[in-house]
Amino acid sequence: MKIAEYIFKQLKAHGVQHSFGIPGDFILPLYAAQEASGIKCIVMTHEPSAGYAADVYARLKGLGLATVTYGAGALNMVNAVALAYAEESPVLVLTGAPEVKFRNPNMLFHHRVKTFETQHNVYREVTASSAVINDESTAIHDIDRVIETTRALSRPGYIEVPRDMVNQKVSVPPRSPYTPPKRSKAELDEAMAEIIGRLRHAKKPVVYAGVELHRLRLVDKLRTLVERLNLPVTTSLMGKTVLPEHHPNFIGNYMGRVGPRAVRDYVESSDCVLVLGQFWSDLDTGLFTARPNVANLIQATTQEVVISHHRYTEINVADVLDALLKARALKHSRFQVHPIAKEPPRAESQGHKLTMLGIIDELNQFLSRDHIVVSDVGDCLFASVELKADMFVGSGYYASMGQGVPGAIGAQCADPSHRPVVLVGDGGFQMNGVELSVARRYGLNPIVIIIDNGTFATLKFIDQDRDYFDVPRWDYAGVAHALGGKGRRVITRSEFKAALKAADDSADFFVIDAVIDKNDSSPALKRLGHEIGLKFKKR
Ligand SMILES: Cc1ncc(C[n+]2csc(CCOP(=O)(O)OP(=O)(O)O)c2C)c(N)n1
């Protein structure tokens, strides 16, 4: 079998049906093989977008593929792959390269930087596994290793195939699949005795569920567990929709003093917080203001299990979930989901003009089980704390602007049964909103809501108003029309509501230019600004 045939056959076996990229001369033979394999390449306008689209595709399908040319292409995508690494998304980067036989240091092929290896060296920093396929005898082993590691660790992988290796024939040895690290039964027994003991005696337990459950494909097990034991569940921004938010056991997003007060009170008054697959970053914890009492914490991640102050390093969150589901001692346990205190009514201060609060409230009425929300970075991400969604994707940790529109393309390719609703700031949209022309070309129809405040509001709330935060005003509805879709500018809440209805009725992509005041923001961004003021501004 030819090397390229083998790569695409393996990727298809893992459910990959699309790739995202831009062709270039060093990757043309791979593109031809990709086409022959039946994997459809979505050609984006710019490589960072290919990375973002592959990332969101990977989050939803368990493996995503970005196919980019050597140097100018692959190096142009590094930031998006860094995001995927930081947020544990299994993206495979497949790149072409100059022929092995021409790799003489004195030969200056175009797109080369320092050496032929520069690109691979850069990618080593943002991937969990990588290989340059320059030897037929190890090719199959290397390809298997990178694909399996990408899946198992849910972190990007990198395969570079020089042009003269693409169609080399290799024999395929019997597969030696990835062997996961050994688990300790003794550790698991001891930890479970403690976890079950704590749970059984808990008066007000709560599950704080994180994004790793999604990446490790454990969301069904989480749901079974919380329904069986009737456990309340909170998530952070990163873990948003690990449990669909219309589920009766969901109590809201927990982000310390930046999230809703009632959720914070619930979690911080719990005597047993079962933290599953959560990593504690600054944004996710509301600048580390999420501080449940460590003595009440049971934390299980992909790496270890920590109970109060002691840790077990040879078991992980998957082991704990499995053991909890099997635990006979919990068979008759049913806990209580205490009612969440109602938030005080929110004042719409600006008459009938559209505000962030109005946008959130209207979206909460509009969003259904048929939508997936893809949020860019900016106040739209903070506003999402108060959005009730069943499917949500956002860069809540690495926080790279520009993921929204291309991410929606990846989302709709991965799951055509959910129409993407993109939330994006005007700054974020100006980075790569033009990818909507790609959406149109491939028959995709996201609804794109641009929070048009004429400024980098997030930075303004963190710092103060500055000229260099201004975002030039564009005619976004006009841009949508020029790219072949529909668009509408709205300045009142009722216009926004009507635009959502029109977007819902439209089969084309639909841009809603939601104009709000420059000084307006979501409640969460206001709270974040306040916390930043307390922590950093006085320095
Ligand atoms: C790729 C990238 N560049 C720069 C930043 C820094 N940054 C964080 S928020 C922000 C402003 C976002 O502006 P906009 O998209 O208009 O959203 P708003 O804050 O106004 O809601 C910037 C520039 C970033 N997070 N990502």
Side-chain angles (χ1 to χ4, degrees):
M1 185 181 280
K2 292 177 182 168
I3 287 176
E5 267 172 22
Y6 183 76
I7 294 174
F8 293 117
K9 183 168 166 261
Q10 291 310 107
L11 293 173
K12 278 178 81 177
H14 284 292
V16 173
Q17 293 164 320
H18 298 82
S19 79
F20 304 88
I22 299 179
D25 56 343
F26 288 112
I27 199 173
L28 289 177
L30 270 174
Y31 261 67
Q34 174 174 255
E35 184 179 49
S37 78
I39 289 179
K40 182 170 177 175
C41 184
I42 307 295
V43 178
M44 310 293 288
T45 71
H46 203 198
E47 281 86 359
S49 303
Y52 294 133
D55 171 5
V56 174
Y57 188 93
R59 293 176 192 220
L60 299 178
K61 285 201 58 132
L63 191 60
L65 176 62
T67 37
V68 284
T69 195
Y70 184 68
L75 291 176
N76 198 14
M77 198 175 68
V78 171
N79 176 58
V81 180
L83 157 60
Y85 185 91
E87 299 193 0
E88 301 186 20
S89 176
V91 173
L92 185 78
V93 177
L94 185 59
T95 170
E99 287 77 352
V100 179
K101 66 178 177 208
F102 296 143
R103 289 199 178 197
N104 167 342
N106 298 324
M107 281 187 109
L108 290 183
F109 275 98
H110 61 286
H111 298 338
R112 202 182 110 179
V113 190
K114 266 190 189 169
T115 66
F116 285 107
E117 287 72 44
T118 302
Q119 174 175 302
H120 183 202
N121 290 337
V122 168
Y123 266 93
R124 275 192 232 266
E125 283 296 315
V126 293
T127 55
S129 60
S130 64
V132 176
I133 308 299
N134 52 14
D135 179 346
E136 285 102 324
S137 66
T138 54
I140 298 295
H141 171 81
D142 282 340
I143 293 163
D144 285 349
R145 173 179 56 81
V146 175
I147 295 177
E148 298 287 349
T149 309
T150 303
R151 290 265 303 169
L153 301 186
S154 196
R155 285 219 145 113
Y158 172 93
I159 298 181
E160 175 180 323
V161 191
R163 259 189 313 210
D164 54 352
M165 297 298 287
V166 173
N167 291 314
Q168 285 295 332
K169 287 211 165 131
V170 285
S171 56
V172 180
R175 284 173 54 73
S176 49
Y178 172 85
T179 34
K182 274 225 175 79
R183 301 261 157 259
S184 160
K185 174 151 181 347
E187 273 202 8
L188 185 61
D189 290 347
E190 192 176 310
M192 289 317 297
E194 199 175 350
I195 292 171
I196 291 167
R198 280 174 177 248
L199 257 181
R200 286 186 62 186
H201 291 106
K203 295 207 166 51
K204 194 183 176 188
V206 62
V207 174
Y208 177 22
V211 68
E212 290 184 338
L213 297 182
H214 193 260
R215 303 293 190 268
L216 294 183
R217 297 172 284 282
L218 295 172
V219 290
D220 291 341
K221 288 185 179 172
L222 170 76
R223 194 175 175 143
T224 309
L225 181 77
V226 302
E227 286 176 358
R228 195 178 288 171
L229 301 182
N230 196 36
L231 284 162
V233 178
T234 181
T235 67
S236 61
L237 251 189
M238 273 298 289
K240 197 171 170 71
T241 69
V242 161
L243 185 74
E245 295 187 340
H246 289 96
H247 193 287
N249 290 47
F250 177 70
I251 60 165
N253 296 134
Y254 174 51
M255 290 177 74
R257 288 205 290 265
V258 171
R261 171 86 205 223
V263 181
R264 171 158 63 102
D265 289 346
Y266 198 113
V267 176
E268 295 180 9
S269 64
S270 162
D271 54 347
C272 180
V273 187
L274 186 55
V275 192
L276 300 175
Q278 161 72 12
F279 53 80
W280 304 79
S281 72
D282 55 351
L283 282 184
D284 242 16
T285 57
L287 292 184
F288 305 113
T289 59
R291 282 207 210 109
N293 185 346
V294 176
N296 296 332
L297 291 188
I298 299 167
Q299 304 180 66
T301 66
T302 51
Q303 306 299 320
E304 61 181 5
V305 175
V306 182
I307 304 176
S308 287
H309 296 283
H310 54 278
R311 58 187 65 222
Y312 300 89
T313 54
E314 288 183 28
I315 53 174
N316 71 10
V317 60
D319 304 319
V320 169
L321 255 181
D322 281 340
L324 281 172
L325 286 170
K326 283 190 207 130
R328 271 203 237 121
L330 290 174
K331 220 171 175 182
H332 302 293
S333 301
R334 291 280 296 169
F335 298 98
Q336 209 186 330
V337 182
H338 297 272
I340 273 281
K342 280 236 174 335
E343 293 287 313
R346 314 201 279 195
E348 276 278 358
S349 55
Q350 298 169 47
H352 69 305
K353 270 174 75 182
L354 189 61
T355 61
M356 266 323 253
L357 271 182
I359 291 173
I360 297 168
D361 287 345
E362 285 303 332
L363 279 172
N364 276 336
Q365 292 171 45
F366 172 75
L367 289 175
S368 78
R369 276 157 225 267
D370 301 330
H371 294 123
I372 175 167
V373 177
V374 184
S375 176
D376 209 276
V377 169
D379 194 18
C380 52
L381 188 64
F382 299 111
S384 303
V385 175
E386 277 155 290
L387 215 58
K388 223 167 180 190
D390 280 343
M391 286 180 81
F392 178 86
V393 179
S395 176
Y397 168 51
Y398 186 78
S400 181
M401 285 163 77
Q403 196 197 33
V405 172
I409 291 172
Q412 211 172 3
C413 288
D415 179 0
S417 67
H418 287 88
R419 187 170 183 192
V421 175
V422 179
L423 306 179
V424 58
D426 41 6
F429 185 85
Q430 290 189 9
M431 282 191 170
N432 56 14
V434 71
E435 296 292 352
L436 283 173
S437 76
V438 175
R440 178 177 160 79
R441 174 176 172 190
Y442 294 101
L444 308 172
N445 65 350
I447 298 170
V448 179
I449 299 165
I450 301 173
I451 310 298
D452 182 356
N453 50 19
T455 180
F456 288 160
T458 305
L459 301 186
K460 198 158 74 97
F461 273 79
I462 293 175
D463 185 9
Q464 63 182 65
D465 203 358
R466 309 238 187 221
D467 287 350
Y468 49 79
F469 291 161
D470 286 353
V471 174
R473 296 280 184 173
W474 283 12
D475 170 10
Y476 298 103
V479 171
H481 292 133
L483 297 175
K486 296 211 168 71
R488 200 184 272 193
R489 182 169 190 267
V490 299
I491 55 171
T492 67
R493 184 161 166 170
S494 53
E495 284 173 2
F496 181 63
K497 192 185 190 79
L500 283 174
K501 165 98 180 55
D504 207 30
D505 292 342
S506 165
D508 297 320
F509 79 74
F510 200 108
V511 170
I512 301 177
D513 175 5
V515 182
I516 61 167
D517 189 85
K518 197 176 173 186
N519 298 310
D520 189 20
S521 87
S522 69
L525 180 54
K526 284 201 184 85
R527 293 189 291 254
L528 182 77
H530 177 71
E531 289 303 322
I532 286 174
L534 292 180
K535 275 203 167 69
F536 304 117
K537 280 195 185 156
K538 55 185 174 213
R539 272 186 202 162

